[in-house]
Amino acid sequence: MAVLALDFTLDPKLSETNSLSVTATNIEKSMKEVLMDLNLVTAFNLEGGLVKIFTAEGGSVVNLRLFPTGLVSLNVDYFKGDKDNASATFEIVQKLESNIIKTVNGIKWTRSLPSIQPDKALRFYLTSDSRVIEYDIDKLVFEEVTPYQKVQIVHSTTLGNILVLDNLQNLSEADLVYTETLMQRGKENFKDKNILILGGGDGALLYELLKEQPKEVIMLEIDEVVMKACAKYMRSVCGTVLDNYEGPNYKIIVGDCMLSLEQYAKEGKKFDYIFGDLTDVPISIDQSKELWSFINQALVLSFSVLKADGKFMTHVTGTSSWSALDLYAKQLEKIYPPVKFTMDKAFVPSFYEEWIFCQIGFESKE
């Protein structure tokens, strides 16, 4: 099963009801030159627009919808055989596009897409601003649903194994730059420092920090399944640090990081560095109130156990998600005592986009 998609926009004059009907007929003529055995099944008006449904060769179903705004959407659902390939099917879309442009006058803009394969959902990932990326994933390596999330590790021919949580890509074996930018390697001195990691279940940050000779690193991860899966299938990322939950200068605590933070605050325990390696910052507060509340709580509790000259370091979101970045900056402005922050960015291979990382510390009292 695959879907070919073509969208285009008409001149406003063609958006009138009578013109839409004529345009639909012209598009149908264009499709008959490309799609064999095209037959009209039904046609009807819908909310000021027009819908036509056809069948075609090989059991294909063609949906043509013309909106009163001038937007036209054409989708071809067809069975994808073993011999089919992406370039061949994309040629069909391009030929359809070319024929329709020649037949229908007044097309202002078009967009054609290669075949989308719903049967291979693991191949797809949304960027921070909801653009669709397709991966070259060839197999599912691991999968388990835990009380917290669906944990998967998939294999990409170019990126190696990738950790996927709740169908969202998290880290691949090709993403060392993510970890190095998060920890600001070469810019920060971690030697003999007390460090706390919130999250970080893939083990990558812990593995890299231990190379810097810290005094102690404590990692708080709620989902043990993530750690066990990464210990087995992501060893190039985490080395051996997830094999044992305690070593000479590190300790992994399985549980809710909020509870541990609250306990550290009661004990008066302080850290030189705290890393937020938890969830991405959501784009909208209105649509993600619970998640924003969690982020704010993590910030407040973290600063309660951070030394006066310490730093809280975290990933944020993609550079194209300006609204989320602005919202995050506004949340930081509400923290008391006041904090100052800087931001850095890096292109993360498996994200296919630049990602923002934030370094936050208390404002100097001088």
Side-chain angles (χ1 to χ4, degrees), residues 58-104:
S60 300
V61 177
V62 182
N63 295 279
L64 173 65
R65 183 168 183 179
L66 295 86
F67 295 84
T69 58
L71 174 66
V72 178
S73 177
L74 175 62
N75 294 297
V76 182
D77 299 349
Y78 74 103
F79 175 74
K80 182 179 180 298
D82 294 335
K83 295 182 179 180
D84 293 340
N85 60 70
S87 60
T89 54
F90 194 32
E91 286 178 5
I92 297 174
V93 180
Q94 292 178 312
K95 191 172 182 180
L96 272 172
E97 183 178 14
S98 177
N99 280 11
I100 292 172
I101 290 173
K102 290 176 183 177
T103 306
V104 181

Side-chain angles (χ1 to χ4, degrees), residues 5-8 26-27 29-34 74 90-105 107 109-113:
L6 171 63
D7 297 332
F8 50 94
N26 289 334
I27 293 174
K29 292 178 181 177
S30 300
M31 291 193 298
K32 285 183 177 179
E33 297 179 16
V34 179
L74 175 62
F90 194 32
E91 286 178 5
I92 297 174
V93 180
Q94 292 178 312
K95 191 172 182 180
L96 272 172
E97 183 178 14
S98 177
N99 280 11
I100 292 172
I101 290 173
K102 290 176 183 177
T103 306
V104 181
N105 293 319
I107 293 179
W109 175 86
T110 65
R111 180 185 65 178
S112 54
L113 301 175

Side-chain angles (χ1 to χ4, degrees), residues 40-317:
L40 179 65
V41 176
T42 185
F44 54 91
N45 295 317
L46 181 63
E47 297 183 356
L50 178 63
V51 177
K52 284 192 170 185
I53 301 175
F54 308 84
T55 57
E57 183 182 28
S60 300
V61 177
V62 182
N63 295 279
L64 173 65
R65 183 168 183 179
L66 295 86
F67 295 84
T69 58
L71 174 66
V72 178
S73 177
L74 175 62
N75 294 297
V76 182
D77 299 349
Y78 74 103
F79 175 74
K80 182 179 180 298
D82 294 335
K83 295 182 179 180
D84 293 340
N85 60 70
S87 60
T89 54
F90 194 32
E91 286 178 5
I92 297 174
V93 180
Q94 292 178 312
K95 191 172 182 180
L96 272 172
E97 183 178 14
S98 177
N99 280 11
I100 292 172
I101 290 173
K102 290 176 183 177
T103 306
V104 181
N105 293 319
I107 293 179
K108 297 176 63 179
W109 175 86
T110 65
R111 180 185 65 178
S112 54
L113 301 175
S115 62
I116 299 172
Q117 302 172 47
D119 59 319
K120 294 187 177 180
L122 279 173
R123 294 170 62 111
F124 297 100
Y125 164 68
L126 288 178
T127 62
S128 61
D129 59 344
S130 298
R131 288 175 289 114
V132 178
I133 300 296
E134 184 174 7
Y135 288 101
D136 55 350
I137 290 171
D138 54 13
K139 65 179 177 180
L140 175 64
V141 177
F142 172 87
E143 181 175 62
E144 184 175 334
V145 178
T146 77
Y148 310 103
Q149 59 203 334
K150 180 167 71 172
V151 181
Q152 296 170 304
I153 292 180
V154 298
H155 180 264
S156 157
T157 56
T158 56
L159 298 167
N161 283 346
I162 305 174
L163 173 64
V164 180
L165 301 177
D166 284 339
N167 298 320
L168 292 177
Q169 188 279 344
N170 271 247
L171 192 77
S172 82
E173 291 184 291
D175 292 341
L176 178 59
V177 66
Y178 171 95
T179 305
E180 292 191 323
T181 311
L182 174 60
M183 64 186 283
Q184 293 288 283
R185 173 167 275 162
K187 300 178 182 179
E188 298 290 337
N189 180 16
F190 300 108
K191 184 176 174 59
D192 299 324
K193 299 297 174 59
N194 289 302
I195 302 171
L196 180 66
I197 300 174
L198 310 181
D202 51 62
L205 181 57
L206 175 60
Y207 180 55
E208 296 301 327
L209 282 171
L210 290 177
K211 296 177 183 178
E212 305 293 320
Q213 300 178 347
K215 181 178 180 180
E216 182 184 41
V217 182
I218 298 175
M219 188 175 97
L220 309 175
E221 169 60 45
I222 198 170
D223 199 337
E224 193 169 16
V225 171
V226 173
M227 292 190 288
K228 288 184 176 180
C230 290
K232 184 173 182 179
Y233 300 109
M234 302 276 286
R235 294 188 79 81
S236 69
V237 166
C238 62
T240 61
V241 298
L242 299 178
D243 293 351
N244 299 293
Y245 290 176
E246 192 165 352
N249 58 344
Y250 78 93
K251 179 167 60 175
I252 299 172
I253 298 175
V254 180
D256 188 337
C257 68
M258 297 300 188
L259 297 178
S260 293
L261 283 171
E262 290 174 353
Q263 184 60 38
Y264 293 150
K266 291 179 182 179
E267 296 172 356
K269 190 175 180 64
K270 298 287 184 177
F271 296 89
D272 296 290
Y273 288 94
I274 299 177
F275 286 92
D277 198 13
L278 299 164
T279 183
D280 300 341
V281 173
I283 293 176
S284 168
I285 288 181
D286 292 336
Q287 296 178 2
S288 309
K289 291 181 179 179
E290 185 177 344
L291 189 50
W292 269 107
S293 177
F294 172 78
I295 290 172
N296 287 332
Q297 185 184 8
L299 284 171
V300 171
L301 287 173
S302 293
F303 283 107
S304 71
V305 297
L306 185 67
K307 291 182 180 180
D309 59 349
K311 285 188 179 181
F312 179 86
M313 304 171 74
T314 185
H315 67 104
V316 188
T317 188

